[in-house]
Amino acid sequence: MSELTSKTCASADSMHEAALKAKVVLEALPYIRQFHGQTIVIKYGGHAMVDETLKRQFALNVILLKYIGLNPVIVHGGGPQIGDMLKKLNIVSQFRDGLRITDEATMDVVEMVLVGKVNKQIVNQLNLQGAKAVGLSGKDGQLIKARKLEMVLERKDMPPEIIDLGKVGEVLEINTKLIASLEREGFIPVIAPVGVDDEGETYNINADSVAGAVAGALKAKRLILLTDVAGILDKDKRLISSMNERQAMQAIENGTVTGGMIPKIKCCLEAIHSGVEKAHILDGRLENSLVLELFTMGGIGSEIVAG
């Protein structure tokens, strides 16, 4: 093959690749138009917060959402990081039904890790990639008003057991004015799931629950929960790409959904009841999972819709 022919083939290949990229962008246009100016609440957690490549890809995905006209709001977890710090300090963790029992010493560590370390790492990652991100906890501007979580364990043929989880809380109210003011100035809010009550007591709150409450309060277009599984699976471990509220409740009641997926689905249902159009549960271990879910026809995870 002559040098001229080789260059012609290479040029044709480059043109074909460029054409495919242009086609992908154009196919995303209806979704970009649909979401422009809308708020998207993302619960960031799991492996996506640990793997360095995934952390960078997450930041780039969020920045892309911002640049094309969406308003992303991030709520993050940090359970593994809290656990590591507690071990270093020789503080033993206790759990009941997946919830960490949080005494005074543990609460100090939770706040230190979530607010002082994890939150700032996420903000820094976003800012390094060109965003304007600002970190918040529920104490800032009374962002998350909370109360102590009352946990009652129902047991067959036995009276219910009241479990004291210590400084574990639940959301009462979200200060949407603070988030809206940040959005107007072009900032991406990054929220640590720590709340405060009227007496100034601090509470550790489940990050999924905070994300759902924030999404509902903002009447967000979408709530997205990043997890370490593909999404909601049926009894044969196949991905359920879409389900309505009724089907979601049936999946819980008939045992299709078990374990940690149950509170995630309930969180999504509460958000939908509060005005969120759709909620998504998807695999944060996949690169560019946010873009793939929002801007492609089939998406990659599971969506829950009203009805």
Side-chain angles (χ1 to χ4, degrees):
M1 184 181 293
S2 68
E3 182 180 350
L4 179 60
T5 304
S6 297
K7 287 182 178 179
T8 301
C9 290
S11 178
D13 289 342
S14 298
M15 288 295 292
H16 179 67
E17 183 179 351
L20 288 176
K21 290 180 179 178
K23 183 179 180 181
V24 169
V25 173
L26 289 173
E27 286 178 349
L29 181 58
Y31 303 103
I32 295 173
R33 184 184 296 120
Q34 176 187 3
F35 290 123
H36 186 82
Q38 301 290 334
T39 295
I40 309 289
V41 177
I42 306 159
K43 188 278 178 145
Y44 181 40
H47 198 69
M49 283 181 63
V50 178
D51 181 274
E52 290 300 324
T53 299
L54 292 176
K55 285 160 66 173
R56 182 175 181 275
Q57 288 294 331
F58 173 80
L60 291 173
N61 276 220
V62 170
I63 292 168
L64 175 62
L65 299 184
K66 190 67 176 178
Y67 280 175
I68 61 178
L70 285 74
N71 294 314
V73 176
I74 301 168
V75 177
H76 65 84
Q81 293 90 333
I82 292 169
D84 289 344
M85 182 59 70
L86 289 171
K87 285 181 181 178
K88 290 178 181 178
L89 298 174
N90 294 317
I91 299 174
V92 178
S93 295
Q94 298 182 52
F95 292 85
R96 289 298 299 266
D97 284 13
L99 294 174
R100 189 188 304 274
I101 296 176
T102 307
D103 57 17
E104 289 278 359
T106 302
M107 188 65 236
D108 287 343
V109 173
V110 167
E111 190 168 12
M112 176 179 68
V113 172
L114 287 181
V115 181
K117 183 179 181 182
V118 175
N119 186 274
K120 303 314 172 191
Q121 288 175 337
I122 298 168
V123 168
N124 188 50
Q125 182 73 256
L126 288 164
N127 289 339
L128 284 173
Q129 300 300 334
K132 292 199 314 182
V134 60
L136 302 164
S137 80
K139 288 182 172 181
D140 295 310
Q142 294 185 319
L143 175 62
I144 304 173
K145 185 177 179 181
R147 67 182 175 192
K148 183 180 174 69
L149 177 64
E150 299 289 342
M151 183 174 176
V152 179
L153 184 62
E154 301 287 349
R155 297 176 296 179
K156 187 177 181 181
D157 300 325
M158 295 182 68
E161 179 187 359
I162 299 175
I163 300 172
D164 186 358
L165 294 169
K167 291 186 172 296
V168 174
E170 60 182 345
V171 178
L172 280 179
E173 187 179 342
I174 300 293
N175 180 359
T176 57
K177 291 181 180 180
L178 176 57
I179 298 174
S181 67
L182 291 170
E183 288 182 339
R184 283 195 299 271
E185 296 299 322
F187 287 98
I188 299 173
V190 181
I191 302 170
V194 173
V196 64
D197 67 13
D198 289 335
E199 283 71 47
E201 289 291 332
T202 306
Y203 293 97
N204 178 24
I205 310 175
N206 176 271
D208 290 338
S209 298
V210 171
V214 169
L218 293 172
K219 301 295 186 286
K221 185 77 170 178
R222 293 288 189 271
L223 166 65
I224 300 175
L225 305 183
L226 295 182
T227 69
D228 283 344
V229 295
I232 304 170
L233 307 179
D234 65 17
K235 289 185 177 180
D236 295 320
K237 304 303 179 185
R238 295 173 301 193
L239 180 69
I240 301 172
S241 60
S242 183
M243 61 199 321
N244 60 29
E245 295 171 279
R246 177 179 52 81
Q247 292 168 330
M249 286 305 301
Q250 287 177 346
I252 294 173
E253 292 165 0
N254 64 26
T256 298
V257 174
T258 59
M261 187 57 69
I262 293 176
K264 292 184 183 299
I265 291 179
K266 288 183 176 180
C267 159
C268 292
L269 292 175
E270 289 173 4
I272 291 171
H273 291 161
S274 298
V276 175
E277 186 177 85
K278 286 184 183 180
H280 304 255
I281 300 174
L282 59 143
D283 194 343
R285 298 170 299 180
L286 299 176
E287 289 189 25
N288 303 311
S289 56
L290 290 175
V291 170
L292 290 170
E293 180 68 9
L294 290 173
F295 300 134
T296 61
M297 178 69 72
I300 60 167
S302 301
E303 66 174 21
I304 301 176
V305 301

